[in-house]
Amino acid sequence: MSKILTSKQRIMAFLQLGHILQNPDEQLSSLIESAKQYNAWFTPQSTAMAIHAISEMLNQPDLDKWIDANTDEPVKMNAIGLILAGNIPLVGFHDILCVLASGNKALIKLSSQDKQLIPYILSKLSEIEPRFTEQFEFIERLKDFDAIIATGSNNTSRYFEYYFSKVPHIIRKNRNSIAVLNGNENREELKSLGHDIFDYFGLGCRNVSKIYVPKGYNFNAFFESIEEFKSVADHHKYNNNYDYNKSIFLVNMDKHLDNGFLLLKEDKRMASPLAVVYYQEYESIQEAERELLDNKEGIQCIISRSDLSMNVLPFGQSQRPGLWDYADGADTMAFLRGL
């Protein structure tokens, strides 16, 4: 059997992997339950949600569209160093998928916060198609790489930019997601916005950290619509952040709104602390749009029902990315194919 996988063979393997993830076996079910022992944020609900999102991503129409089924693996297999984040379960999987789908080899440096789930998934992929074992390796120290994809904070990104400056690279920094309300949203839309805010406890770059609202907006309907998400406060780490930020606001006498598990504060900044969402009023939707365009380098996605010139997602969809929803808007597949 040839060691070279065609695009069609890769698609079929990814499709089978998606089916496996839709129906967790005993080992995966155990990992879902035990993930919180290694990372307290990885609750069974959050971990299962991440696995389900990947299984939805790996569907036949999207895979066919994403991967050119008529193109065989390139002659040269480049070694791509991957420095993965661990803020939410399996957040680095899409980068691995891109490397495998493009016919390259992934040198994977796992986050210390997420070391169990990705090895399981890749072991299943190798069972489906053993030739994939040639396309990935878990490493502690990066060496002998042709390109780098690294995810970190704004601080670590400066180190990455310096250290990897002489090789092709994608360096990802902190980003935030924004919601733009026009005041006509119904309860169901506002409830769906709760998923954009609270899924994974708000720890992801696709979680909404700021809301733009019309001048004089009344938040009562918003608070009533997100009431079902109050269980986030049962998580001790989330509740500690909520209590801490609330005490800071009270000590500083900062004006804020509080529903018992989320704090809203008027603020022009994009990145809010955990358990806090900033809001900003606008006179016109065009004014809000201009500000978003000025800050687009720090925005991951925008949630809105308004007709904006920028790409927007429907409420509740921020944590359900498609194969082509690349982090930071950098087309990872184009980068890999251009090496």
PDB file of all heavy atoms in Angstrom, residues 20 23-34 120 124:
ATOM      1  N   ILE A  20     -17.173   8.680  14.717  1.00  0.00           N
ATOM      2  CA  ILE A  20     -16.734   8.131  16.008  1.00  0.00           C
ATOM      3  C   ILE A  20     -16.956   9.140  17.131  1.00  0.00           C
ATOM      4  O   ILE A  20     -17.421   8.793  18.228  1.00  0.00           O
ATOM      5  CB  ILE A  20     -15.250   7.719  15.936  1.00  0.00           C
ATOM      6  CG1 ILE A  20     -15.091   6.465  15.069  1.00  0.00           C
ATOM      7  CG2 ILE A  20     -14.667   7.480  17.326  1.00  0.00           C
ATOM      8  CD1 ILE A  20     -13.654   6.083  14.784  1.00  0.00           C
ATOM      9  N   ASN A  23     -20.428   9.489  18.521  1.00  0.00           N
ATOM     10  CA  ASN A  23     -20.879   8.385  19.384  1.00  0.00           C
ATOM     11  C   ASN A  23     -19.718   7.924  20.264  1.00  0.00           C
ATOM     12  O   ASN A  23     -19.084   6.901  19.985  1.00  0.00           O
ATOM     13  CB  ASN A  23     -21.384   7.224  18.524  1.00  0.00           C
ATOM     14  CG  ASN A  23     -22.501   7.641  17.588  1.00  0.00           C
ATOM     15  OD1 ASN A  23     -23.633   7.801  18.005  1.00  0.00           O
ATOM     16  ND2 ASN A  23     -22.173   7.826  16.302  1.00  0.00           N
ATOM     17  N   PRO A  24     -19.401   8.679  21.314  1.00  0.00           N
ATOM     18  CA  PRO A  24     -18.231   8.379  22.145  1.00  0.00           C
ATOM     19  C   PRO A  24     -18.230   6.950  22.681  1.00  0.00           C
ATOM     20  O   PRO A  24     -19.241   6.459  23.188  1.00  0.00           O
ATOM     21  CB  PRO A  24     -18.347   9.387  23.293  1.00  0.00           C
ATOM     22  CG  PRO A  24     -19.145  10.521  22.726  1.00  0.00           C
ATOM     23  CD  PRO A  24     -20.122   9.867  21.783  1.00  0.00           C
ATOM     24  N   ASP A  25     -17.072   6.293  22.538  1.00  0.00           N
ATOM     25  CA  ASP A  25     -16.924   4.953  23.097  1.00  0.00           C
ATOM     26  C   ASP A  25     -16.621   5.065  24.590  1.00  0.00           C
ATOM     27  O   ASP A  25     -16.589   6.163  25.165  1.00  0.00           O
ATOM     28  CB  ASP A  25     -15.841   4.168  22.347  1.00  0.00           C
ATOM     29  CG  ASP A  25     -14.465   4.826  22.435  1.00  0.00           C
ATOM     30  OD1 ASP A  25     -14.276   5.749  23.261  1.00  0.00           O
ATOM     31  OD2 ASP A  25     -13.564   4.420  21.679  1.00  0.00           O
ATOM     32  N   GLU A  26     -16.385   3.926  25.211  1.00  0.00           N
ATOM     33  CA  GLU A  26     -16.168   3.912  26.670  1.00  0.00           C
ATOM     34  C   GLU A  26     -14.932   4.714  27.057  1.00  0.00           C
ATOM     35  O   GLU A  26     -14.941   5.449  28.060  1.00  0.00           O
ATOM     36  CB  GLU A  26     -16.012   2.455  27.145  1.00  0.00           C
ATOM     37  CG  GLU A  26     -15.943   2.318  28.651  1.00  0.00           C
ATOM     38  CD  GLU A  26     -15.897   0.866  29.101  1.00  0.00           C
ATOM     39  OE1 GLU A  26     -16.339  -0.011  28.331  1.00  0.00           O
ATOM     40  OE2 GLU A  26     -15.420   0.618  30.225  1.00  0.00           O
ATOM     41  N   GLN A  27     -13.867   4.607  26.242  1.00  0.00           N
ATOM     42  CA  GLN A  27     -12.637   5.333  26.560  1.00  0.00           C
ATOM     43  C   GLN A  27     -12.843   6.838  26.465  1.00  0.00           C
ATOM     44  O   GLN A  27     -12.416   7.597  27.347  1.00  0.00           O
ATOM     45  CB  GLN A  27     -11.510   4.907  25.616  1.00  0.00           C
ATOM     46  CG  GLN A  27     -10.158   5.551  25.958  1.00  0.00           C
ATOM     47  CD  GLN A  27      -9.069   5.163  24.977  1.00  0.00           C
ATOM     48  OE1 GLN A  27      -9.297   4.392  24.042  1.00  0.00           O
ATOM     49  NE2 GLN A  27      -7.877   5.691  25.184  1.00  0.00           N
ATOM     50  N   LEU A  28     -13.509   7.294  25.396  1.00  0.00           N
ATOM     51  CA  LEU A  28     -13.746   8.732  25.241  1.00  0.00           C
ATOM     52  C   LEU A  28     -14.712   9.238  26.310  1.00  0.00           C
ATOM     53  O   LEU A  28     -14.517  10.329  26.864  1.00  0.00           O
ATOM     54  CB  LEU A  28     -14.290   9.028  23.845  1.00  0.00           C
ATOM     55  CG  LEU A  28     -14.559  10.506  23.526  1.00  0.00           C
ATOM     56  CD1 LEU A  28     -13.330  11.353  23.794  1.00  0.00           C
ATOM     57  CD2 LEU A  28     -15.020  10.670  22.090  1.00  0.00           C
ATOM     58  N   SER A  29     -15.721   8.447  26.628  1.00  0.00           N
ATOM     59  CA  SER A  29     -16.651   8.848  27.690  1.00  0.00           C
ATOM     60  C   SER A  29     -15.922   9.013  29.019  1.00  0.00           C
ATOM     61  O   SER A  29     -16.203   9.942  29.789  1.00  0.00           O
ATOM     62  CB  SER A  29     -17.763   7.802  27.835  1.00  0.00           C
ATOM     63  OG  SER A  29     -18.532   7.716  26.654  1.00  0.00           O
ATOM     64  N   SER A  30     -14.960   8.133  29.255  1.00  0.00           N
ATOM     65  CA  SER A  30     -14.149   8.234  30.477  1.00  0.00           C
ATOM     66  C   SER A  30     -13.290   9.493  30.461  1.00  0.00           C
ATOM     67  O   SER A  30     -13.152  10.179  31.480  1.00  0.00           O
ATOM     68  CB  SER A  30     -13.273   6.991  30.620  1.00  0.00           C
ATOM     69  OG  SER A  30     -12.434   7.094  31.748  1.00  0.00           O
ATOM     70  N   LEU A  31     -12.712   9.812  29.298  1.00  0.00           N
ATOM     71  CA  LEU A  31     -11.896  11.033  29.173  1.00  0.00           C
ATOM     72  C   LEU A  31     -12.740  12.281  29.383  1.00  0.00           C
ATOM     73  O   LEU A  31     -12.285  13.251  30.009  1.00  0.00           O
ATOM     74  CB  LEU A  31     -11.226  11.089  27.801  1.00  0.00           C
ATOM     75  CG  LEU A  31      -9.991  10.208  27.591  1.00  0.00           C
ATOM     76  CD1 LEU A  31      -9.538  10.280  26.139  1.00  0.00           C
ATOM     77  CD2 LEU A  31      -8.862  10.645  28.522  1.00  0.00           C
ATOM     78  N   ILE A  32     -13.961  12.262  28.873  1.00  0.00           N
ATOM     79  CA  ILE A  32     -14.860  13.400  29.050  1.00  0.00           C
ATOM     80  C   ILE A  32     -15.132  13.626  30.536  1.00  0.00           C
ATOM     81  O   ILE A  32     -15.131  14.763  31.019  1.00  0.00           O
ATOM     82  CB  ILE A  32     -16.183  13.165  28.281  1.00  0.00           C
ATOM     83  CG1 ILE A  32     -15.936  13.248  26.770  1.00  0.00           C
ATOM     84  CG2 ILE A  32     -17.244  14.183  28.708  1.00  0.00           C
ATOM     85  CD1 ILE A  32     -17.122  12.807  25.931  1.00  0.00           C
ATOM     86  N   GLU A  33     -15.323  12.550  31.272  1.00  0.00           N
ATOM     87  CA  GLU A  33     -15.613  12.658  32.707  1.00  0.00           C
ATOM     88  C   GLU A  33     -14.380  13.046  33.521  1.00  0.00           C
ATOM     89  O   GLU A  33     -14.485  13.752  34.532  1.00  0.00           O
ATOM     90  CB  GLU A  33     -16.183  11.334  33.222  1.00  0.00           C
ATOM     91  CG  GLU A  33     -17.595  11.043  32.760  1.00  0.00           C
ATOM     92  CD  GLU A  33     -18.588  12.094  33.229  1.00  0.00           C
ATOM     93  OE1 GLU A  33     -18.505  12.524  34.394  1.00  0.00           O
ATOM     94  OE2 GLU A  33     -19.459  12.477  32.424  1.00  0.00           O
ATOM     95  N   SER A  34     -13.204  12.577  33.090  1.00  0.00           N
ATOM     96  CA  SER A  34     -11.994  12.784  33.894  1.00  0.00           C
ATOM     97  C   SER A  34     -11.207  14.033  33.513  1.00  0.00           C
ATOM     98  O   SER A  34     -10.257  14.403  34.224  1.00  0.00           O
ATOM     99  CB  SER A  34     -11.070  11.562  33.771  1.00  0.00           C
ATOM    100  OG  SER A  34     -10.612  11.402  32.439  1.00  0.00           O
ATOM    101  N   TYR A 120      -5.928  11.038  22.189  1.00  0.00           N
ATOM    102  CA  TYR A 120      -6.983  10.045  21.962  1.00  0.00           C
ATOM    103  C   TYR A 120      -7.536  10.175  20.547  1.00  0.00           C
ATOM    104  O   TYR A 120      -7.679   9.166  19.827  1.00  0.00           O
ATOM    105  CB  TYR A 120      -8.118  10.215  22.975  1.00  0.00           C
ATOM    106  CG  TYR A 120      -9.361   9.446  22.571  1.00  0.00           C
ATOM    107  CD1 TYR A 120      -9.499   8.097  22.865  1.00  0.00           C
ATOM    108  CD2 TYR A 120     -10.373  10.068  21.830  1.00  0.00           C
ATOM    109  CE1 TYR A 120     -10.611   7.374  22.450  1.00  0.00           C
ATOM    110  CE2 TYR A 120     -11.487   9.355  21.413  1.00  0.00           C
ATOM    111  CZ  TYR A 120     -11.600   8.013  21.724  1.00  0.00           C
ATOM    112  OH  TYR A 120     -12.697   7.310  21.299  1.00  0.00           O
ATOM    113  N   LYS A 124      -7.392   7.453  17.346  1.00  0.00           N
ATOM    114  CA  LYS A 124      -8.550   6.943  16.609  1.00  0.00           C
ATOM    115  C   LYS A 124      -8.378   7.173  15.113  1.00  0.00           C
ATOM    116  O   LYS A 124      -8.716   6.309  14.294  1.00  0.00           O
ATOM    117  CB  LYS A 124      -9.835   7.623  17.104  1.00  0.00           C
ATOM    118  CG  LYS A 124     -10.310   7.133  18.453  1.00  0.00           C
ATOM    119  CD  LYS A 124     -10.652   5.636  18.386  1.00  0.00           C
ATOM    120  CE  LYS A 124     -11.019   5.056  19.728  1.00  0.00           C
ATOM    121  NZ  LYS A 124     -11.242   3.591  19.652  1.00  0.00           N
TER     122      LYS A 124
END
